[in-house]
Amino acid sequence: MATTPVPPAPKTVDPPARSILLDVPFLRLWAGTTASGLATWALPFVLGLAVLHRDLSAAGLGLVLAARTVGFLVAVTVGGVLADRHSRRAVVLWSALAAAAAAPLLAAGLGRSLLLMTAAAALAGAGQGACRPAFQALTAETVDPGRRQQANAAVTMAVRGSTLAGPALTALLAAFLDVGTLLLGIGLLWLVAALVPGKGAGAVAQADPAAGPVPRASFRTEFLEGVREARRHPWFLAGLAALVAVIALGYSATSVALPLISRDRYDSEWVLAAAMTAYIVGALGGALVIARLRPRSQGWAAFAGLAAYGFAPLSLTLPVHPGVVVAAYAVAGIGIELFNVPWFTATQREVAPDRLARVSSLDFLVSYGLAPVGLALIAPAIDAFGVTPVLGACAAACFLVPAAAALVPTARHFARTAPEARADGS
């Protein structure tokens, strides 16, 4: 007796992924992160205007910015531990409020007390440093794994866009407002960073109240736990080494050499302005591309992008057409975001959630901490050996160190296991 075949069950089609830009919790986090990034960028620029208006000496500017850097480096380590101990949202709140409180103190000391300005700058740097790892960890709590790369790219585009439009906007505001008022405006940005983001999903496990109080380890012990977590991921350590080479050598060399070459070789300031603008525009383009791009070997692709920064110092070694310099900086900007966005996303995915902020603090500590060392050493090296040899060595480091980092086990995918081997498929 013939049987009627049972029709196959219709295939279920997954609904299209909702755009990250339609997610209200992320938009609140995005607004806070963007405000903190804009405030961080704006402070040195506004203080530079204070030098132009003779409210602050050049030596005073150096002291104030150095104090901010010291505050950042001290607080980024403490902030990473606090953000893993307590609510990431609370750490963002109090650190951003500290940075906001520093703004009126800076305005009060302007032209009156360099000591007050220095102390306020250290407070501002501490607020900035403490909130950075907390924001990274809060992103992992707020955004599901499948959309984190898109989320990190959206944050990067906002910060880069602010950096691109910020100088013109600040210069326009400076025509109507004094430096003290602009400093208060920076404080308002920090208030946005403090108050607008919402709560995350609470990724850090909370102790059971019925079990009684749990002894808390010391700061040193918990920080070393973060170091041990970082050492579990060879790709992360390799990425840090590559970042050191590019930031401490490549970025520092071009920061010192580009103004000199723009003046001495091209006899024009426009090469400096055009190259820096091209870098930011390139970074915007790179973030836009990587928001959608998913390379099969994302680690190798990211290290290739990071190595592209070597074209910036390389373009300054020979008397090429200025358009070549501008194009090289655009390529460097594209490459840096082809690295940054997958790097942040992989850290949020691979690192244990309860240690994410501490590992992120290591990233910022190494990246930001060694940049002043590079800046301090590049100028004497140029005086001793000349611009071309120093830039050539820095370009070689930018190309070779990321290439060597890509050979480290687990670097190919920025993961301990290949994507197809992971059960979650993320």
Side-chain angles (χ1 to χ4, degrees), residues 4-418:
T4 304
V6 178
K11 294 182 178 180
T12 59
V13 179
D14 293 333
R18 189 184 185 195
S19 171
I20 195 67
L21 298 179
L22 299 178
D23 190 285
V24 174
F26 169 73
L27 286 179
R28 294 179 62 182
L29 178 64
W30 175 86
T33 307
T34 301
S36 71
L38 183 56
T40 298
W41 165 85
L43 182 57
F45 191 88
V46 172
L47 291 176
L49 292 178
V51 174
L52 294 179
H53 295 169
R54 302 186 185 280
D55 293 322
L56 183 65
S57 66
L61 174 63
L63 181 62
V64 169
L65 292 181
R68 186 179 79 146
T69 300
V70 171
F72 176 92
L73 294 177
V74 172
V76 73
T77 303
V78 177
V81 174
L82 289 176
D84 282 339
R85 275 187 174 187
H86 308 290
S87 162
R88 277 80 185 259
R89 179 65 187 89
V91 174
V92 167
L93 172 66
W94 292 108
S95 58
L97 286 177
L105 296 177
L106 283 166
L110 188 65
R112 300 180 184 89
S113 172
L114 182 59
L115 179 61
L116 177 59
M117 291 194 71
T118 303
L123 179 62
Q128 174 195 345
C131 78
R132 290 301 295 270
F135 265 127
Q136 283 294 317
L138 194 57
T139 300
E141 291 186 13
T142 304
V143 181
D144 58 90
R147 296 189 296 170
R148 285 178 191 161
Q149 184 157 315
Q150 188 181 10
N152 288 320
V155 171
T156 291
M157 284 188 284
V159 173
R160 296 293 187 183
S162 300
T163 305
L164 182 64
L169 177 61
T170 305
L172 178 63
L173 292 174
F176 304 96
L177 304 173
D178 58 26
V179 174
T181 304
L182 293 176
L183 288 171
L184 294 178
I186 292 174
L188 291 177
L189 288 173
W190 278 115
L191 284 178
V192 172
L195 301 177
V196 170
K199 293 182 179 180
V204 179
Q206 302 296 324
D208 182 4
V214 178
R216 177 69 72 180
S218 67
F219 263 77
R220 178 179 179 275
T221 300
E222 293 198 356
F223 179 75
L224 291 178
E225 285 180 357
V227 174
R228 286 193 291 271
E229 173 66 22
R231 292 174 60 185
R232 290 182 56 244
H233 306 279
W235 62 266
F236 183 82
L237 299 181
L240 283 185
L243 280 171
V244 168
V246 171
I247 293 175
L249 295 177
Y251 183 79
S252 298
T254 53
S255 297
V256 174
L258 180 59
L260 298 176
I261 291 175
S262 181
R263 180 195 66 192
D264 298 339
R265 180 185 299 169
Y266 300 107
D267 193 27
S268 173
E269 295 179 354
W270 81 265
V271 177
L272 170 62
M276 296 310 298
T277 302
Y279 177 80
I280 298 172
V281 172
L284 277 168
L288 185 62
V289 168
I290 202 61
R292 298 291 182 182
L293 186 66
R294 297 294 189 275
R296 289 184 59 86
S297 301
Q298 65 167 340
W300 285 357
F303 280 125
L306 185 63
Y309 194 92
F311 289 110
L314 184 64
S315 70
L316 301 177
T317 60
L318 297 173
V320 296
H321 188 277
V324 175
V325 176
V326 174
Y329 269 79
V331 170
I334 294 171
I336 204 71
E337 293 307 335
L338 294 182
F339 174 84
N340 279 341
V341 173
W343 170 259
F344 290 138
T345 305
T347 303
Q348 294 160 353
R349 181 189 67 237
E350 297 293 319
V351 172
D354 62 332
R355 300 180 182 182
L356 176 56
R358 279 170 283 179
V359 173
S360 295
S361 73
L362 286 175
D363 180 9
F364 295 123
L365 183 64
V366 171
S367 301
Y368 285 83
L370 292 178
V373 177
L375 288 170
L377 296 179
I378 289 297
I382 289 176
D383 291 338
F385 304 105
V387 173
T388 299
V390 171
L391 288 175
C394 291
C398 289
F399 289 131
L400 295 177
V401 177
L407 301 178
V408 170
T410 73
R412 179 174 180 176
H413 300 290
F414 276 172
R416 292 168 63 88
T417 59

